[in-house]
Amino acid sequence: APADPLRRPRGSKPGRRIYEVACERLKIEPGSTFFIDDLLPNIETARALGFACHHYHHDRHGELLAELRRLRVAGMEEAAVP
């Protein structure tokens, strides 16, 4: 039987399993996914799994916007930098 997409996965960040479950359920590949988080342990795990990552800090929001533009993420071409 297919997995119930609403069933709560076992595991939590920064454990690897939660990232693996997310990839399975969302049908995404880490190498084509940009992961943003404010906690370094979460970034380290995601990066080890092959995600492109950004370590976010609210005082440096412009850095995130610049990175999204650099990666040519759709919709970010005209985003204002605070």
Side-chain angles (χ1 to χ4, degrees):
D4 177 0
L6 300 178
R7 187 178 65 78
R8 188 173 181 92
R10 294 190 180 157
S12 61
K13 294 188 296 182
R16 293 176 62 100
R17 184 66 188 139
I18 195 70
Y19 298 87
E20 294 164 349
V21 168
C23 289
E24 291 168 14
R25 290 188 181 182
L26 298 171
K27 298 181 181 5
I28 58 173
E29 294 293 325
S32 62
T33 305
F34 189 65
F35 179 80
I36 304 164
D37 202 287
D38 62 337
L39 299 176
L40 190 55
N42 299 340
I43 292 292
E44 291 168 343
T45 301
R47 196 170 277 141
L49 290 169
F51 287 87
C53 298
H54 179 83
H55 186 194
Y56 182 77
H57 189 276
H58 70 277
D59 287 340
R60 297 189 307 269
H61 187 70
E63 291 176 12
L64 172 60
L65 294 178
E67 182 70 4
L68 293 171
R69 273 194 219 89
R70 186 185 71 76
L71 294 171
R72 299 180 181 196
V73 171
M76 294 309 302
E77 301 82 8
E78 301 301 320
V81 176

